[in-house]
Amino acid sequence: MAKPVLKWAGGKRQLLDEIYARFPEEYEHFHEPFFGGGAVFFDLEPRGGTINDTNPRLVNFYEVVRDRPDELIERLEEFRAPGSDPNPKEDFATENWKGKSIDEYFYQQRALFNRRPYADETWPETSEDKLEEAALLLYLNRTCYNGLYRENSNGGFNVPIGRYENPDWVRESEIRAASTALKNTEIRNDDFEYIGEVVSQEDLVYFDPPYEPMSQTANFAEYSAEGFDREDQERLLEVCKEIHKNGMFFVLSNSAVMFDLYDEVDGFTVENEGAKRSINSDETSRGEVNEIIATNVPVDSQRRTIQQASIGDFEP
């Protein structure tokens, strides 16, 4: 079984059993249009399908993991401890893009990683550039504060250094397992509506859009997650309706404020669930949050129902 290589906000490891319970017993291809850390995908290790994310750095990372695991591991082994002195042989050994003094190796690597948004030329462009960006993403992910991924308005990664005794940024076994899991998977960098072009009968789509924990009194009219607003949520609902209309299956996890929107659609079932959150810039915001799981898989075709019926067959 593969495991996520990256720490990523919104990961679903705490909800895997609840998500799988809504899956149909069998399906052909698995599609995940909001991939992030890929907790569901790597736990399933599906054979064929698509994954997608709108973050081009993340997409490049998974392409490198899939196609060049040995080179990635070799490059990761070359990085130094995040709190050590900057490497004088590399760029940004003394100042970052804004002329601010750099005195730790982590901030030098963060500046190198930010060539994509800040450099005058296109980067990454070459095969080696792409390998370097992938390695930097994993290194920074494992050594930054709380594993948080955050960009400023210009696209610059701006999370500060974390303070860990022995951070593991090589992740060799995780990279190799993830590479194997991704071998027969198409990796895309598109809007989630691409799914309408690739999903076929007997396929399953799992949607996990960006969303923020909301208060008990919040409602959809007030809802807006960073980079994914109400209009996007409404588009996503329409995609789910189209999948249902065409006789295909989806499972979706989302903020609890979306309950009524999905509950109003004939053929959809929606239930509340809770999930633990450990990645958040505000430590007071970590903990259990209210979420929903919605699906159009008929209740009598869901795994939990089939498994319960199977257990009942053996009762005295």
Side-chain angles (χ1 to χ4, degrees), residues 207-258:
F207 293 110
D208 182 32
Y211 57 89
E212 299 169 354
M214 303 294 288
S215 69
Q216 294 283 354
T217 59
N219 57 51
F220 178 65
E222 300 169 328
Y223 180 82
S224 180
E226 183 178 356
F228 202 81
D229 60 18
R230 291 187 294 272
E231 181 179 342
D232 293 317
Q233 289 284 0
E234 289 168 345
R235 286 195 301 122
L236 177 56
L237 177 60
E238 292 305 311
V239 168
C240 291
K241 290 179 180 177
E242 192 67 19
I243 289 173
H244 181 61
K245 177 182 175 182
N246 292 330
M248 305 162 189
F249 289 144
F250 78 87
V251 175
L252 169 142
S253 46
N254 211 326
S255 171
V257 300
M258 300 298 157

Side-chain angles (χ1 to χ4, degrees), residues 168-207:
D168 172 21
W169 59 77
V170 177
R171 309 279 284 168
E172 179 176 358
S173 61
E174 289 83 358
I175 289 171
R176 295 196 185 282
S179 179
T180 300
L182 288 164
K183 284 301 181 189
N184 297 314
T185 301
E186 179 184 359
I187 303 174
R188 302 177 64 120
N189 180 209
D190 289 320
D191 180 85
F192 64 86
E193 287 195 38
Y194 87 91
I195 199 66
E197 302 171 3
V198 302
V199 67
S200 302
Q201 295 288 340
E202 310 302 326
D203 286 359
L204 174 65
V205 184
Y206 170 60
F207 293 110

Side-chain angles (χ1 to χ4, degrees), residues 129-142:
D129 290 344
K130 293 176 181 178
L131 175 67
E132 184 69 6
E133 184 182 62
L136 283 165
L137 174 56
L138 180 51
Y139 174 78
L140 294 170
N141 178 259
R142 302 297 299 183

Side-chain angles (χ1 to χ4, degrees), residues 292-306:
I292 63 165
I293 300 178
T295 185
N296 70 327
V297 179
V299 173
D300 59 1
S301 297
Q302 294 177 15
R303 286 186 180 181
R304 57 181 173 179
T305 305
I306 293 171

